[in-house]
Amino acid sequence: MKPEFGESARKPLDVLRGVGPATAAKLRERGIESLQDLWLQLPTGFEDRTRIARLDDLQLGQSAQVEVRVAAVERGFRFRPMLKVLVEDDSLRQLSLRFFHYSASQAAQFLPGRLLRAYGQVRLGGTGYEMVHPSYRFIAEEKAGICRDRLDPVYPNIDGVGTATLGKLVRQALQLLPPESELELIPEALLADLDLPRFGAALQAIHAPDPGTTLAQLQSGRHPAMRRLALEELLAHHLSLRKKRLALKSKPARPVDVPDSAFAPFLARLPFALTGAQRRVVEDIRADLRTGHPMLRLVQGDVGSGKTAVAALAALAVIAGGGQAALMAPTELLAEQHARTFRDWFEPLGIEVVFLAGKLTAAQRREPLKRIAAGAPMVVGTHALMQDTVAFSNLELVMVDEQHRFGVGQRLSLRDKGESEESSPHQLILTATPIPRTLAMSAYADLDVSVIDELPPGRTPVQTVALANSRRDEVIARIRDYCRQGHQVYWVCTLIEESDEIQAQSAQAAFETVAAGLPGVSVALLHGKVAPAEKSRIMRAFKDNVVQVLVATTVIEVGVDVPNASVMVIENAERLGLAQLHQLRGRVGRGATASHCLLLYQAPLSAMARERIEVMRQTDDGFLIAEKDLALRGPGELLGTRQTGDVGYRIADLGRDAALLPEVLHVANRLLAEYPERADAVVARWVGAAARYAHA
Ligand code: ADP
Ligand code: MG
């Protein structure tokens, strides 16, 4: 890479006119420190001053440019200062321009008959159409009718640095843009295949769009310049994950190589045979463990595909080799269920299982902490595992269940507990959120991915119906029938972003209605406020079929496994996203009996909610549902907001730009193999700055 690139790009802002220490400091707070940061400060929108609208063509709400003469001026002082300038054009219509802040000299410029051009949003005022605080300038008679030929970029308002000032700085910085030979980081050979503009040209095209460019092209991301920059940004993030991965992979880890016989006693006691997919994934894991470097593997498997058994086999391998394994789950309920499962599976084999969760009292934690420090082979818990007070003696395998519920940082901080000079722990990440391949490639480029693409045999697809809330009585009558036939039922109350307290109240109310409608049926209630001991007692009773109907909040959303439960009612299903509905519904359909899911909704449904419910009725396939979710809502929901928030793209949008991902992968592979120093420069250009930005 030519050194000049870095030099011009990193030039500090004081080479620009109008940047004193105060402005520089304000910009720095927002992560803008160099010329390059200004180049990458893209406009947040555009104003279209390429056309002049006639006053009789104006539409309410539209932003438009008009060319008008001053007809009259009114100044009001009664309540607060106000300047109202009545203007007109050839159409003989009038428009008011209103100002609440203005200087005397400014007001004095509006002489009747003067020609001016104003740009603003059209609103309905007291006396007809008006523009409030339009931008305007007076123009000479001979310039009448001559418009600008390109869209005007609009920059954000950074505290203390106005949009106009920022725009001026960006324009100056662009004048100092070095030639493409210094700027372009994608090698000629690859650029030719992409059919996209060069970096410098793309920047110019966005900051000063070519004549003829439309707002729609720029905003939809279809414009080649936008695609070029988005591609490079996605490339930078992808490369940065790949490089992190390479760094981790180069560390040593104690090789774990145990014979098949180490698994035999476990498999012999398991009440089922592994599916082909489970066996394949276990072999992927065993191969990783043998390498002498840390495993970094994501196991993706739809709800109910049997990820827990895979995790158990991974743990067994490490434990047989003398190490400790830890499994972290996102909710207390799930952690406790895992602890129970692992005890059932491991204790008969003489393997100790320790459980640690946040809600234990200090006295209750003392014993588990002691056993973890003493080397207890299998540890199951919640986030509590990551606390400073938890010390392992020989942590070799870190497993995270339902990874989308955790931030990347949390996964890493558990790993750090097993980190030492000589070795780094293996990591196994489990997720039920099926992520379309291209998206996985970009979000999880630091991980190897195995997919459990087969459900255990004998499952019958869940029948899903949608019913309006007004038919609640009918629903209760159906539940009564199901109960008579011996089915067990989840009744899920959903409230989004309300406190535990309010959720508990609404679950309580639902519980009372349901219990009153089902005399003679044993109904229980579970929500976030129920004490931990009581929670586990209720779950046990439900698992043992002592409780027949479980009314619960979405605490049961992830991971809960009660195979005999075969009916799920979801209240206010219209409020939930597809991923969440799929997770919830995945709690049923786990046994051999036909299962049912009843989605209750509050009419009228929005178009989006209607579509989601329709998708749920039509398919059970997690991948199809994920693709739909991506199309409907973008990637935030799929990946978990924390994670997309961590990434903080400036330009790219994983939903909008998903089609670029295959090219990103291709370019990334070529760069890493053939032009490693350019790969570094791409990461430096985008990711270093983005990280600063996110912390600003
Ligand atoms: P998830 O992938 O959603 O975490 P679980 O590990 O909870 O799924 O497994 C779902 C259910 O399927 C559990 O009751 C589990 O015991 C059972 N199961 C797992 N693997 C198999 C298999 N190969 N055959 C039959 N049942 C299985
Ligand atoms: Mg699970």
Side-chain angles (χ1 to χ4, degrees), residues 515-546:
L518 301 173
V521 173
S522 143
V523 184
L525 173 64
L526 197 64
H527 53 66
K529 291 256 138 188
V530 174
E534 178 67 3
K535 250 187 217 162
S536 35
R537 201 191 54 75
I538 294 172
M539 277 316 290
R540 164 108 322 212
F542 189 55
K543 202 151 194 160
D544 295 343
N545 203 355
V546 176

Side-chain angles (χ1 to χ4, degrees), residues 417-431:
K417 294 201 176 284
E419 189 80 25
S420 71
E421 284 285 297
E422 316 83 69
S423 91
S424 196
H426 299 287
Q427 296 183 58
L428 186 68
I429 318 296
L430 307 171
T431 180

Side-chain angles (χ1 to χ4, degrees), residues 270-276 278 301-310 334 337-338 341 345 401-402 430-432 452 455-457 459 543 559-563 583 586-587 590:
L270 208 58
F272 47 78
L274 296 183
T275 62
Q278 283 170 316
D302 207 347
V303 223
S305 60
K307 293 182 290 296
T308 320
V310 169
L334 180 52
Q337 172 185 286
H338 279 328
T341 306
W345 284 345
D401 194 17
E402 306 294 353
L430 307 171
T431 180
I452 309 184
L455 289 179
R459 303 265 169 95
K543 202 151 194 160
V560 169
D561 181 43
V562 179
Q583 280 285 332
R587 301 304 119 222
R590 297 186 159 222

Side-chain angles (χ1 to χ4, degrees), residues 537-664:
R537 201 191 54 75
I538 294 172
M539 277 316 290
R540 164 108 322 212
F542 189 55
K543 202 151 194 160
D544 295 343
N545 203 355
V546 176
V547 163
Q548 215 177 347
V549 177
L550 183 64
V551 177
T553 56
T554 47
V555 291
I556 59 130
E557 176 184 341
V558 285
V560 169
D561 181 43
V562 179
N564 192 50
S566 55
V567 178
M568 160 130 329
V569 181
I570 304 177
E571 284 192 41
N572 300 313
E574 80 281 357
R575 295 183 187 171
L576 302 186
L578 276 174
Q580 212 181 351
L581 286 170
H582 180 64
Q583 280 285 332
L584 276 171
R585 185 174 60 183
R587 301 304 119 222
V588 297
R590 297 186 159 222
T593 42
S595 293
H596 302 271
C597 176
L598 283 69
L599 303 175
L600 287 185
Y601 62 84
Q602 182 64 51
L605 283 178
S606 69
M608 166 102 81
R610 182 178 304 277
E611 175 146 10
R612 283 201 296 257
I613 287 181
E614 200 44 40
V615 171
M616 289 302 291
R617 288 197 331 107
Q618 281 170 5
T619 182
D620 229 358
D621 179 328
F623 271 87
L624 265 181
I625 290 177
E627 300 266 3
K628 275 284 180 191
D629 209 18
L630 185 64
L632 286 174
R633 293 219 283 187
E637 211 56 38
L638 276 179
L639 297 177
T641 37
R642 278 217 200 96
Q643 292 200 11
T644 37
D646 280 351
V647 171
Y649 292 108
R650 295 164 169 238
I651 294 170
D653 173 323
L654 276 178
R656 183 190 72 193
D657 300 323
L660 292 171
L661 292 171
E663 314 241 82
V664 169

